Amino acid sequence: MTGFDVVALGEVMLRFDPGEGRIRTARTFQVWEGGGEYNVVRGLRRCFGLRTAVVTALVDNPVGRLAEDLILQGGVDTSLIRWTADDGIGRSARNGLNFVERGFGIRGALGTSDRANTAVSQLHPGQIDWDAVFAKGVRWFHTGGIFAALSDNTAEVADEAMAAARRHGVRVSYDPNYRPSLWAGRGGPERARETDLRLARHADVVVGALGLAGKGPDAGRLTADEVPDALAAVAALLPGAQVLATTLREVPSAGVNDWSSAAWSAQTGFRTGPRMPGVHVLDRIGSGDAFAAGLVYGLLTSGDLDLALAYGTAHGALAMTTPGDVSMASLTEVEALMAGGSAHVRR
């Protein structure tokens, strides 16, 4: 294995998309790959041109190989995937599926996941040689609360991986990315917050940091005026964090979002990203991951927080204009939007 710019740890599922229809009435689906942590390195590879890899586990059957083929199409290295033997019917382990409809107007997006007992949820500490992964020049490691929520042992794997990354001088980012369905019957938002705070102590950069504010991830939306104090409160909980970042979204309808971002660092204090009111949305799923990819790219290449927020905000906005979890934007398009570009036809 050669060195990578960014490595992510997380689940990669197949996303079944009914297009403009509903899951419960669909007769055909478009199939994509996706996963909160994976989407970040996929965007960093395809849009920003960095060398990336994903650490995950898949069952070695045609469904798992379809996920692998989609990952390969995205340019993400697959050499760190752990393959689990197929028992024929998924009794002992299976690959995750995620059914997502985009929403329209007053009808919001809807996700229905089918991901219990997946191969990646059964990863245990000690199964991956993290020292070998990080010893060959990895610059950045990313994981998050979706992977950590898959099972009790995946939170320990994330802890092990983040600690190893820090030992090797690799920069670490973490996105709490709370999903109520993953914590139902397992302690709910209180346990999610406890887990996220424990893992985020390893992170240099926390994306989605407002998920750690207040009483927990289901505490309700904050007003714009409350965001600076909320990020300062999270900084007090995570004294080792260098950057805390978040998207800011108002949702007049499923098809139109007001989109922006904000961040805090010890060097700059509170900063706001570009404001993009009235963004027309085709598919909002994955836009936060696209923001994270742009933020990481900006921090890796420039170290300038304002520029990183601009990359993240523009990339997230463009990701909402195409279907699927993963970004289809180019770096040229991102930088044109950052410079005030419009939607005029380019010939």
Side-chain angles (χ1 to χ4, degrees):
M1 183 194 76
T2 58
F4 297 108
D5 293 308
V6 186
V7 171
L9 168 66
E11 182 166 41
V12 183
M13 297 188 293
L14 294 180
R15 170 178 166 175
F16 287 76
D17 181 352
E20 296 177 352
R22 305 298 305 270
I23 296 167
R24 65 174 181 257
T25 57
R27 297 299 179 267
T28 60
F29 291 91
Q30 178 82 33
V31 180
W32 317 88
E33 88 280 25
E37 297 84 9
Y38 163 79
N39 294 342
V40 176
V41 288
R42 210 277 195 180
L44 283 164
R45 174 64 188 91
R46 291 297 284 168
C47 179
F48 297 103
L50 300 187
R51 299 164 301 155
T52 66
V54 62
V55 179
T56 192
L58 294 168
V59 173
D60 193 355
N61 61 22
V63 176
R65 292 297 174 178
L66 172 57
E68 178 195 36
D69 190 68
L70 292 166
I71 295 168
L72 288 168
Q73 290 179 50
V76 177
D77 189 278
T78 60
S79 63
L80 300 178
I81 293 176
R82 286 180 58 91
W83 290 97
T84 300
D86 183 23
D87 64 19
I89 62 170
R91 181 182 291 110
S92 59
R94 54 191 295 272
N95 298 302
L97 308 178
N98 192 26
F99 296 81
V100 181
E101 57 188 55
R102 303 173 198 167
F104 185 82
I106 60 172
R107 175 172 58 86
L110 173 68
T112 302
S113 59
D114 181 17
R115 67 197 303 180
N117 204 37
T118 55
V120 71
S121 73
Q122 299 179 53
L123 283 179
H124 284 79
Q127 290 184 321
I128 297 169
D129 187 346
W130 292 109
D131 288 322
V133 171
F134 295 127
K136 297 186 178 181
V138 176
R139 300 170 65 194
W140 195 290
F141 176 71
H142 177 75
T143 192
I146 295 178
F147 173 76
L150 296 177
S151 64
D152 292 344
N153 38 290
T154 55
E156 299 310 315
V157 173
D159 194 298
E160 174 188 57
M162 296 170 80
R166 296 299 296 268
R167 287 198 306 273
H168 286 269
V170 177
R171 295 176 76 181
V172 176
S173 56
Y174 184 83
D175 186 343
N177 229 346
Y178 175 67
R179 296 289 184 271
S181 59
L182 291 176
W183 290 101
R186 299 182 56 237
E190 294 80 13
R191 190 173 179 204
R193 176 179 169 81
E194 176 187 332
T195 301
D196 286 329
L197 286 173
R198 176 165 63 91
L199 295 175
R201 78 181 194 276
H202 294 302
D204 302 291
V205 176
V206 179
V207 188
L210 287 184
L212 300 176
K215 295 181 179 180
D218 67 342
R221 297 182 61 82
L222 299 172
T223 67
D225 291 341
E226 294 172 318
V227 171
D229 288 343
L231 288 181
V234 175
L237 295 172
L238 301 173
Q242 298 172 8
V243 173
L244 306 174
T246 185
T247 59
L248 299 174
R249 186 196 307 263
E250 297 295 331
V251 187
S253 77
V256 179
N257 288 187
D258 296 332
W259 176 252
S260 186
S261 62
W264 170 95
S265 78
Q267 290 73 33
T268 67
F270 180 74
R271 310 295 293 178
T272 55
R275 292 186 66 255
M276 297 184 180
V279 173
H280 287 261
V281 177
L282 177 64
D283 184 348
R284 66 170 277 178
I285 305 300
S287 55
D289 304 324
F291 167 78
L295 182 83
V296 170
Y297 175 77
L299 292 174
L300 261 179
T301 56
S302 74
D304 184 287
L305 183 55
D306 290 320
L307 184 60
L309 281 174
Y311 272 115
T313 307
H315 190 222
L318 287 168
M320 288 188 278
T321 68
T322 53
D325 280 35
V326 296
S327 165
M328 298 181 186
S330 69
L331 181 55
T332 299
E333 291 170 334
V334 170
E335 292 182 335
L337 184 57
M338 291 165 61
S342 71
H344 290 302
V345 175
R346 295 191 300 274
R347 302 182 190 272

